[in-house]
Amino acid sequence: MKNKRWWLLGVCLTVVLLIVCNIGFKQIYSLPDGFMATMDEIESANQNGAFGSFVSASMQRSEQSVSSDKPSEGTVIFKLFGIIPIRKVNVICSGEEEVYLGGTPIGISISTSGAIVINEKMVETEQGYKQTEKSETFKEGDLLTAVNGVSISSLEQLSDVVEESESENFNITYVRKNKEYSATIKGEIDKNTGKYKLGLWVRDDVSGIGTLTYVNKQTNAFAALGHAITDNENDVEVSSGKVYNCKLLGIDKGEKNNPGQLRCMFLQTDEKKGEINKNTKYGVYGKIDNLDGLIDPNLTMKLGGRLSVKPGKAYIVSNVSGLKEEYEIEIIKANYQAKANDKSLVFRVKDKRLLELTGGIVQGMSGSPIIQDGKLVGAVTHVFMSDPTKGYGVYSDWMVANEVKD
C-alpha cells in the first residue's frame, strides 16, 4: 500500500511537471497591457501552441462608438485547460484600420527645449580674452535647461536671462546622457555688449535624415525613424519640429564596423510637409499636412501586433533604389517584451538587390517598414556594427502607442 501511494504521488508530480513545462509563462506574462492583437492572431497563436499545450487565449471585445476614430479595445483572457483563468490583459483590437505605408526618406528638423552645448569659448573682455570660471567642464551635447531657476527653451531666452542678470554668478541646470546635473559659471562681461556671457557655444536645433514608417489614414498622424533622435547620447526634447521632402544623392555602402549611410539633402527653406510633436525611444511622431511625395495613396496595409511576428521570411520597404520596393529579410528572433524596447526583433537582409545597393542596413534607413504576412509589424531601428547585413527592429505596437492622437 505504501509503495502504491508513492507511485501515485510520483505520477501526480510527473503530470504537474509536464503541465508546468508546457505552459508558456514567459510568453504569457511578457505581454503588456495595450499590445495590439486581432481575433485571427489570437486564434493562430492558439493553434500554434504559442502559450503552451494546456493554455488557450480568447479575446473579448469592448463596445465602441461608431463615430470614434480610435481603434477599439478589448481583453485577452488566458485559461488553463480552457477553464481556469490565469491572466487577463487589455489589448488594442487592431485590424480594422489601414495605414499608408512609408519607406520614403524624410528630412527632420527639430527645435529643442533648451540649448545644446557645442563647445566652450573665450569671452572678449576689456582685459582681453578670458575663459569663464566653471565648477564643471561642459561637454559637446550637454543640454542647458535652466539658468538661475529660469527654464530655457531657446537661444534667445538663454541670452535674455544671462544678459539681464545683475550677478556674475549663474547656476546652470543641464542634462547629460539623459541625467540632470547642475553647475555654476562665473560670467564675464563682453567688451562689445557690456553684458555677461557664459563662455559657451550653443545651438537650439537638430536636423537629420530618417525614414517614414507609416501615416494614419484617418488622422494623418505619422511615425518615423523607430528610435529617438539623440545629440551626443541625449534624447532631444522637442519644442517644435518639421518634416521635409529630401533628395537621395547617393549611398555609402555598409561594411564591418562602418554602417554606411544614405546621402540625402533637404532645405529648411522648402515647404514643410508636416509637424513633429514627439521624439521618443520608439521614433519621431507628428502630423503630415501634405502627403505628396511621401506616400503612395494606393499602397495601404493593416497593422500587425507582436503576435503576428515570427521567425522566417519578411520584407522591409525602402526607396533606396529611387523607387519604393520590398526587399526580403529573414527575422531571426522575435523577443518577448514586457516593457517597450526599440530592439524588439533581430533580422538579416537576404535580398541580393539591397545587399548590392547598400551592403545591408545603413544610416538613414531607420524607420523603414517591416512587413510579414501582408501586415506592417515593425520598423528598422539599428544595424549591427559587426555585420551590416543584420539589424534590429521595433514592434509596431510601441509605435502605435506613441502616435499623436489629437
Side-chain angles (χ1 to χ4, degrees):
M1 180 66 71
K2 186 175 180 181
N3 289 336
K4 187 175 182 180
R5 283 200 299 268
W6 279 109
W7 181 83
L8 288 173
L9 179 60
V11 170
C12 291
L13 288 174
T14 301
V15 171
V16 170
L17 183 62
L18 286 172
I19 292 173
V20 170
C21 291
N22 282 278
I23 296 177
F25 287 109
K26 182 178 181 180
Q27 294 88 330
I28 295 169
Y29 286 95
S30 69
L31 294 171
D33 279 334
F35 78 91
M36 291 194 304
T38 66
M39 296 285 189
D40 289 343
E41 289 169 354
I42 295 297
E43 183 60 31
S44 177
N46 285 331
Q47 293 176 357
N48 296 331
F51 310 119
S53 303
F54 301 105
V55 177
S56 61
S58 61
M59 181 187 289
Q60 297 178 355
R61 195 185 185 97
S62 303
E63 294 294 327
Q64 179 184 319
S65 169
V66 176
S67 62
S68 175
D69 62 357
K70 297 180 180 179
S72 59
E73 298 180 353
T75 303
V76 171
I77 302 174
F78 298 92
K79 293 182 179 180
L80 182 62
F81 305 122
I83 301 172
I84 306 170
I86 58 175
R87 193 180 179 214
K88 183 185 293 185
V89 186
N90 296 323
V91 297
I92 297 173
C93 302
S94 63
E96 299 86 353
E97 292 184 303
E98 294 186 336
V99 296
Y100 294 119
L101 198 62
T104 309
I106 55 175
I108 296 169
S109 176
I110 292 178
S111 295
T112 64
S113 294
I116 301 171
V117 174
I118 301 173
N119 206 342
E120 296 190 355
K121 69 170 185 176
M122 307 286 281
V123 179
E124 185 180 7
T125 72
E126 293 289 349
Q127 293 76 39
Y129 285 94
K130 289 186 177 182
Q131 187 78 42
T132 54
E133 295 180 15
K134 306 176 181 70
S135 63
E136 301 289 342
T137 300
F138 287 86
K139 298 181 179 180
E140 181 182 359
D142 288 347
L143 179 67
L144 311 186
T145 58
V147 177
N148 292 340
V150 180
S151 296
I152 300 301
S153 60
S154 65
L155 294 185
E156 183 179 1
Q157 189 176 14
L158 174 63
S159 296
D160 289 344
V161 172
V162 172
E163 292 180 358
E164 293 173 5
S165 175
E166 296 180 356
S167 171
E168 64 181 4
N169 297 311
F170 297 91
N171 182 45
I172 308 296
T173 303
Y174 67 100
V175 176
R176 178 183 296 168
K177 295 185 179 180
N178 298 317
K179 292 184 179 181
E180 189 172 270
Y181 300 90
S182 63
T184 58
I185 296 178
K186 184 178 180 181
E188 293 286 350
I189 295 179
D190 183 84
K191 173 184 176 181
N192 301 305
T193 65
K195 305 289 186 180
Y196 282 111
K197 299 292 183 183
L198 297 179
L200 296 172
W201 282 108
V202 294
R203 58 187 170 88
D204 62 359
D205 66 327
V206 174
S207 61
I209 302 296
T211 296
L212 181 68
T213 306
Y214 71 83
V215 179
N216 186 304
K217 284 183 66 176
Q218 304 296 323
T219 65
N220 274 16
F222 78 88
L225 209 59
H227 62 75
I229 292 178
T230 61
D231 191 89
N232 279 50
E233 300 186 50
N234 277 333
D235 291 351
V236 175
E237 187 175 343
V238 176
S239 174
S240 63
K242 296 177 182 179
V243 174
Y244 298 90
N245 268 333
C246 71
K247 183 177 181 180
L248 179 62
L249 302 178
I251 300 171
D252 295 332
K253 292 180 67 171
E255 300 174 350
K256 184 178 180 179
N257 298 322
N258 182 3
Q261 64 176 339
L262 300 182
R263 287 186 279 109
C264 299
M265 181 184 73
F266 72 96
L267 299 175
Q268 297 185 34
T269 54
D270 290 345
E271 180 183 0
K272 68 178 178 66
K273 308 298 287 186
E275 302 281 348
I276 296 172
N277 304 107
K278 297 169 68 176
N279 176 40
T280 77
K281 184 177 181 180
Y282 324 106
V284 173
Y285 302 87
K287 292 287 184 75
I288 297 295
D289 303 320
N290 183 351
L291 295 172
D292 291 345
L294 296 183
I295 58 96
D296 179 348
N298 299 311
L299 186 56
T300 62
M301 189 162 289
K302 291 184 178 181
L303 291 164
R306 71 194 63 200
L307 292 181
S308 298
V309 185
K310 58 184 181 295
K313 182 185 290 189
Y315 299 89
I316 61 175
V317 179
S318 178
N319 277 44
V320 290
S321 70
L323 299 173
K324 188 174 294 187
E325 297 186 80
E326 293 182 4
Y327 297 98
E328 184 181 340
I329 62 172
E330 177 189 10
I331 294 177
I332 303 169
K333 184 178 181 180
N335 294 315
Y336 290 101
Q337 295 177 325
K339 295 182 179 180
N341 194 296
D342 57 359
K343 295 181 178 179
S344 305
L345 55 91
V346 180
F347 66 88
R348 177 186 290 110
V349 175
K350 304 287 286 184
D351 200 295
K352 293 181 179 179
R353 296 170 302 154
L354 186 59
L355 292 173
E356 181 64 28
L357 274 170
T358 64
I361 303 302
V362 298
Q363 295 178 67
M365 290 179 67
S366 295
S368 298
I370 299 174
I371 59 178
Q372 190 175 53
D373 296 330
K375 293 181 179 180
L376 172 59
V377 298
V380 175
T381 60
H382 300 84
V383 62
F384 279 63
M385 288 295 293
S386 60
D387 184 357
T389 69
K390 293 173 67 177
Y392 290 103
V394 61
Y395 290 135
S396 54
D397 300 52
W398 304 130
M399 302 189 81
V400 172
N402 283 278
E403 186 180 298
V404 174
K405 306 299 182 184
D406 297 329

